[in-house]
Amino acid sequence: MAASPLAAQDNALSFSLTAGARTAPSYFGANGSSVTPAFAFGFTGLRAGGLQLGDPDGPALFAPGTGLRGAVRFIPKREGRNELDGLDDVDAALELGMGLHHTTETWQVFADIRYGVTGHNGFAAETGANLIYRAYSGLVLHGGPRAEFGSGAFARSYFGVTPAEALGSNLGTYTPSGGLTSLGVELGAYQPLNTDWGITGTLRYDRLMGDAANSPITRQGSRDQISAEIGLTRHFNLRF
């Protein structure tokens, strides 16, 4: 049977795209920082026939409820030069994955897992919690602890030194294992400009832990990692 126009229009997909700039350590464990483009994808909800994920008609940010969310991270290319002279380049990485969250009006807990589709072939995961403040003006503030994890392949890509690399550098051979890579805290704000557009900003501190902290790459740099990001967000609510 053909769906009626009203039923067809009831199907909806809501998501957001953010583009901006990010300042962060030049690579994991670096002492200096660099500015790179920043991109983010946010999943609000999908309703199609009898299937519903999230709430496509709910708040575009920190929507209350329990459900799935998209998880994306871009890691810039790491070049083997200057203090990393002798190390192989690590191509820019795009990590894609999914997460699970439970969100209320005033707090949130979440866990994400991502896979490196380019740059590395490992898994990375993040868990965290947020306290949330929602102002009548639409301003949303959030903040809370973060924990990052990486598989062995991820750790070897960014913190390992192969025997061949050790011969060409002043760093010794190092083969890290997967596990906890950092603990930190994030503060963020979102200010809507209108129904479809808004400005997003975050400030984050991470402390490298475990094998990531003990890497010779980190020892000649810093375990303390500070990053900040600002971007313009566009919200989409597609009816079909």
Side-chain angles (χ1 to χ4, degrees):
M1 297 179 62
S4 67
L6 180 60
Q9 291 178 5
D10 193 51
N11 297 328
L13 170 64
S14 295
F15 61 94
S16 64
L17 297 175
T18 300
R22 182 172 187 260
T23 177
S26 304
Y27 53 86
F28 294 117
N31 194 35
S33 297
S34 60
V35 178
T36 60
F39 305 94
F41 168 81
F43 173 75
T44 305
L46 169 67
R47 182 173 56 247
L51 172 67
Q52 178 158 332
L53 298 174
D55 183 2
D57 300 317
L61 194 70
F62 294 111
T66 301
L68 298 174
R69 66 186 215 162
V72 180
R73 181 169 69 167
F74 174 76
I75 304 173
K77 179 179 180 179
R78 190 190 77 185
E79 297 183 343
R81 57 188 179 87
N82 298 329
E83 70 272 19
L84 299 183
D85 189 34
L87 299 187
D88 295 336
D89 293 348
V90 180
D91 292 337
L94 178 64
E95 298 176 347
L96 301 177
M98 294 291 291
L100 181 67
H101 75 95
H102 176 72
T103 306
T104 72
E105 287 291 331
T106 57
W107 58 270
Q108 176 194 64
V109 292
F110 69 88
D112 297 334
I113 185 167
R114 306 177 300 268
Y115 178 74
V117 296
T118 64
H120 69 84
N121 61 351
F123 285 91
E126 180 181 19
T127 61
N130 286 304
L131 291 177
I132 303 170
Y133 170 77
R134 307 175 194 262
Y136 288 112
S137 64
L139 172 69
V140 179
L141 304 177
H142 75 271
R146 301 289 187 267
E148 293 273 359
F149 303 85
S151 66
F154 174 88
R156 290 189 296 272
S157 295
Y158 293 103
F159 301 103
V161 181
T162 66
E165 290 175 317
L167 288 175
S169 68
N170 60 352
L171 306 176
T173 301
Y174 186 70
T175 306
S177 300
L180 178 68
T181 57
S182 69
L183 293 174
V185 63
E186 179 178 292
L187 301 175
Y190 172 77
Q191 177 61 60
L193 301 176
N194 54 38
T195 303
D196 296 327
W197 294 90
I199 297 176
T200 301
T202 60
L203 177 64
R204 178 161 172 163
Y205 166 78
D206 291 286
R207 175 81 169 174
L208 295 178
M209 308 294 290
D211 283 3
N214 295 325
S215 167
I217 295 173
T218 303
R219 288 203 303 269
Q220 68 173 5
S222 175
R223 295 177 62 181
D224 298 312
Q225 308 282 281
I226 298 175
S227 60
E229 185 174 320
I230 187 167
L232 186 64
T233 299
R234 174 67 160 89
H235 300 286
F236 297 87
N237 193 316
L238 307 179
R239 304 288 172 163
F240 54 96

